[in-house]
Amino acid sequence: DQQVKQNSPSLSVQEGRISILNCDYTNSMFDYFLWYKKYPAEGPTFLISISSIKDKNEDGRFTVFLNKSAKHLSLHIVPSQPGDSAVYFCAATGYGNKLVFGAGTILRVKS
Amino acid sequence: KAGVTQTPRYLIKTRGQQVTLSCSPISGHRSVSWYQQTPGQGLQFLFEYFSETQRNKGNFPGRFSGRQFSNSRSEMNVSTLELGDSALYLCASSSDAGSTDTQYFGPGTRLTVL
């Protein structure tokens, strides 16, 4: 039972363009959502988060949008840079400290 | 401030053996969570410890267990290893057990079961 889904296993984007990574969830108890970035041989690094009371959160080149009615969130990276190439995980939580992760999306930014 | 450290980084075991992985959280962090990452499955939550008590548990068999010490360091044990236990095991720490508290991950222990 995948409560958090990232339906695109990979995404390829040209440097300077926008990268949009999508995530869907099924559990209406989730009230806090996070994006993590992971490079090979390293642990995931926290990127940005959003509470369910908001619909947008911005941090530099990264913006996360939340559509609660659709149970959908997305991460926008503008402009995309080659160093952004990594695996991006969407995660959600609503109780305790248990994060439920999606399967991840591999982002490749071509220069 | 030092990050989350995990030892060992790599481990090779054979079926039937048992293994213990160690995690040292960021100084001052009291919550430690463990995750298993396998290709195509993302990160699966194993369990979370806070102040030496297990607070949450994922859907893994009883062969997977853990504990936390008074200094917040945590260990994870897997007994009677199976081939399917081959994975990257990640530990994450946060300052308390609040759901909005950011978890910081260590580099992981890559376990290979032959």
Side-chain angles (χ1 to χ4, degrees):
Chain A
D1 173 28
Q2 273 193 301
Q3 298 184 67
V4 177
K5 298 180 185 178
Q6 293 178 257
N7 292 318
S8 298
S10 64
L11 176 67
S12 189
V13 170
Q14 198 67 35
E15 180 180 7
R17 306 294 290 269
I18 183 171
S19 295
I20 300 176
L21 296 101
N22 294 302
C23 178
D24 297 295
Y25 62 96
T26 58
N27 192 334
S28 56
M29 295 295 291
F30 290 146
D31 61 4
Y32 193 67
F33 305 88
L34 308 90
W35 285 93
Y36 280 84
K37 179 170 76 172
K38 186 179 184 302
Y39 293 117
E42 293 182 14
T45 303
F46 170 73
L47 202 53
I48 192 169
S49 63
I50 188 166
S51 164
S52 60
I53 62 172
K54 294 185 173 183
D55 54 19
K56 176 182 173 182
N57 189 27
E58 203 169 343
D59 184 2
R61 296 185 298 114
F62 303 91
T63 303
V64 56
F65 295 93
L66 174 63
N67 182 334
K68 279 192 300 182
S69 60
K71 293 192 176 67
H72 176 85
L73 63 155
S74 60
L75 173 68
H76 292 211
I77 306 173
V78 184
S80 301
Q81 299 173 353
D84 296 330
S85 297
V87 180
Y88 288 79
F89 290 99
C90 166
T93 185
Y95 39 91
N97 221 16
K98 172 183 174 180
L99 285 175
V100 181
F101 282 86
T105 296
I106 300 170
L107 174 64
R108 294 188 187 90
V109 180
K110 299 176 289 186
S111 55
Chain B
K1 209 181 216 183
V4 178
T5 58
Q6 292 186 246
T7 55
R9 291 293 309 276
Y10 301 92
L11 207 49
I12 298 176
K13 292 284 188 179
T14 56
R15 279 180 298 175
Q17 286 187 307
Q18 68 96 28
V19 67
T20 300
L21 312 181
S22 181
C23 171
S24 292
I26 291 172
S27 177
H29 283 191
R30 295 188 295 164
S31 172
V32 174
S33 298
W34 288 89
Y35 296 85
Q36 180 196 64
Q37 185 190 3
T38 52
Q41 292 292 316
L43 283 76
Q44 304 290 320
F45 174 78
L46 280 154
F47 27 65
E48 181 230 348
Y49 286 88
F50 179 75
S51 293
E52 301 179 65
T53 301
Q54 188 179 86
R55 294 291 297 263
N56 274 304
K57 191 176 190 307
N59 296 324
F60 278 81
R63 298 185 298 107
F64 293 82
S65 63
R67 58 177 175 168
Q68 187 179 33
F69 302 95
S70 58
N71 62 357
S72 293
R73 190 178 71 84
S74 177
E75 286 183 347
M76 187 192 114
N77 186 76
V78 188
S79 62
T80 320
L81 284 166
E82 300 177 0
L83 294 178
D85 297 333
S86 294
L88 180 68
Y89 290 88
L90 291 156
C91 158
S93 77
S94 61
S95 61
D96 62 34
S99 64
T100 61
D101 199 41
T102 300
Q103 293 185 33
Y104 297 89
F105 283 83
T109 294
R110 172 71 62 185
L111 171 65
T112 302
V113 182
L114 303 175

